[in-house]
Amino acid sequence: MKNWKNILLTVLAAIMLLAFAIALPSPSITEEARQAHMNEGVDDEYAFLFD
């Protein structure tokens, strides 16, 4: 019976990790968002990342 508890907890943990991965937003930046950021006119110390 102890083996079933371990399997059940492993499946539960895998489902929770999968749900967390699905719930996170995508880290990609759209072209419109990049252009809006570059056109703000403020001095951006991280502008080299967009080159």
Side-chain angles (χ1 to χ4, degrees), residues 6 10 12 19 22 24-25 28-29 33-34 40-43 47-50:
N6 288 338
T10 303
L12 179 63
I22 291 172
L24 289 177
S28 63
I29 298 174
R34 188 182 73 75
E40 281 183 359
V42 294
D43 194 22
F48 69 92
L49 294 173
F50 294 108

Side-chain angles (χ1 to χ4, degrees), residues 4-18:
W4 284 103
K5 288 181 185 178
N6 288 338
I7 292 172
L8 192 60
L9 287 174
T10 303
V11 170
L12 179 63
I15 290 172
M16 289 174 64
L17 283 172
L18 181 63

